[in-house]
């Protein structure tokens, strides 16, 4: 089954404790992206990757890191989480075929930073 | 002005009604446009891409108006299962790099 998986699905942590949210896709997609969703602000792009070892900043990259060492994985790293990073996070992937692309989203990770 | 703007709603419509949403975008160089559907705090799912000539998929019709910089979504014969938030998505290129999501329009179809 084609899917994007994220782990963990729920996480409560404390300020400053480094964490990683994993994202994996089994569709051999070149493109992967991370978003955060906050009430009233919608989904905002954090980072995206066009392929292995190619990453770029989205609209809200501050406080986040990513890496793309393998095509299927795109982990999101919070080196020193702060309460303003409490949010719902989505990973997504797509092939790169222009206006007919479908972007597949993972189920989301609900992060609370105390 | 926001890059992508949508009326948040909610739009409360009876079953069988026709409802239309608009989404305006500010970047005239935008190339790709999509409508996504999101059920309560679940992952968004692609409803349809929006082509320059307009396109239809069953009860759903999407239109693009480049001159006025907006896209629209028309839903005919609304079903209870259409209740969701509809997200407008705009990209400056073919694909999803530097993509911008609208905040969504909530639709509630009432029996």
């Amino acid at each position: 089954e084609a899917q994007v998986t994220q782990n963990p699905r729920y996480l409560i942590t404390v300020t400053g404790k480094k964490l990683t949210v994993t994202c994996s896709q089994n569709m051999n997609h070149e493109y992967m992206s991370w978003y955060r969703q906050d009430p009233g602000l919608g989904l905002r792009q954090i980072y995206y990757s066009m392929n292995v070892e190619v990453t770029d900043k989205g609209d809200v990259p501050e406080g986040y890191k990513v890496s793309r060492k393998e095509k299927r994985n795109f982990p999101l790293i919070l080196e020193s989480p702060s309460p303003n990073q409490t949010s719902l996070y989505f990973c997504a992937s797509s092939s790169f075929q222009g206006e007919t692309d479908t972007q597949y989203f993972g189920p989301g990770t609900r992060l609370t930073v105390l | 002005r926001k890059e992508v703007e949508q009326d948040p709603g909610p739009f409360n419509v009876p079953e069988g009604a026709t409802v239309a949403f608009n989404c305006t975008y500010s970047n005239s160089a935008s190339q790709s446009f999509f409508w996504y559907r999101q059920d309560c705090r679940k992952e968004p799912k692609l409803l349809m891409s929006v082509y320059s000539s307009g396109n239809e998929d069953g009860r759903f019709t999407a239109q693009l108006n480049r001159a006025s910089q907006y896209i629209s979504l028309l839903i005919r014969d609304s079903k209870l299962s259409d209740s969701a938030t509809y997200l407008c998505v705009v990209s400056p290129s073919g694909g999803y790099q530097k993509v911008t999501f609208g905040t969504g329009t909530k639709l509630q179809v009432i029996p």
Side-chain angles (χ1 to χ4, degrees):
Chain A
E1 180 191 355
Q3 60 182 355
V4 178
T5 57
Q6 293 179 231
N7 281 293
R9 294 288 313 279
Y10 302 90
L11 178 60
I12 300 174
T13 189
V14 295
T15 298
K17 186 176 181 181
K18 181 179 178 180
L19 67 92
T20 299
V21 184
T22 64
C23 173
S24 184
Q25 50 95 2
N26 63 0
M27 295 167 277
N28 200 37
H29 283 163
E30 296 84 10
Y31 178 91
M32 297 186 74
S33 186
W34 275 103
Y35 300 90
R36 60 178 288 174
Q37 186 172 32
D38 302 289
L41 296 177
L43 277 97
R44 293 178 293 168
Q45 194 173 45
I46 303 171
Y47 270 95
Y48 65 91
S49 170
M50 299 296 291
N51 215 322
V52 175
E53 302 291 3
V54 181
T55 62
D56 206 350
K57 297 176 181 178
D59 293 323
V60 287
E62 295 78 21
Y64 304 94
K65 285 175 58 177
V66 293
S67 68
R68 188 91 181 273
K69 292 184 168 53
E70 305 166 282
K71 198 172 187 179
R72 63 183 292 124
N73 295 325
F74 191 43
L76 180 70
I77 303 156
L78 285 72
E79 295 271 5
S80 183
S82 62
N84 65 12
Q85 293 178 297
T86 293
S87 188
L88 177 60
Y89 290 86
F90 289 105
C91 179
S93 76
S94 73
S95 59
F96 187 62
Q97 295 179 3
E99 67 177 15
T100 60
D101 287 347
T102 296
Q103 188 168 202
Y104 295 88
F105 283 81
T109 295
R110 192 172 294 277
L111 172 65
T112 301
V113 183
L114 301 174
Chain B
R1 182 184 174 186
K2 286 185 180 178
E3 286 189 56
V4 177
E5 291 200 72
Q6 294 183 252
D7 182 339
F11 283 57
N12 297 313
V13 302
E15 269 187 291
T18 295
V19 61
F21 312 132
N22 279 346
C23 165
T24 58
Y25 61 94
S26 61
N27 183 356
S28 59
S30 298
Q31 295 292 323
S32 300
F33 308 89
F34 309 90
W35 282 103
Y36 274 72
R37 170 196 169 124
Q38 185 176 28
D39 293 292
C40 189
R41 301 302 264 178
K42 292 195 171 181
E43 71 270 25
K45 293 183 179 177
L46 180 68
L47 181 66
M48 56 200 306
S49 301
V50 186
Y51 305 135
S52 299
S53 55
N55 47 301
E56 189 174 307
D57 183 2
R59 299 181 293 109
F60 299 86
T61 300
Q63 298 275 359
L64 167 63
N65 185 318
R66 286 193 183 273
S68 300
Q69 294 182 207
Y70 73 87
I71 65 172
S72 63
L73 177 68
L74 181 78
I75 305 175
R76 289 180 296 278
D77 188 24
S78 299
K79 312 288 185 193
L80 295 177
S81 57
D82 293 333
S83 297
T85 297
Y86 291 84
L87 307 174
C88 168
V89 183
V90 177
S91 173
S93 61
Y96 289 98
Q97 56 270 41
K98 290 293 188 182
V99 67
T100 301
F101 279 72
T103 52
T105 297
K106 187 171 183 178
L107 172 66
Q108 186 70 46
V109 181
I110 304 163

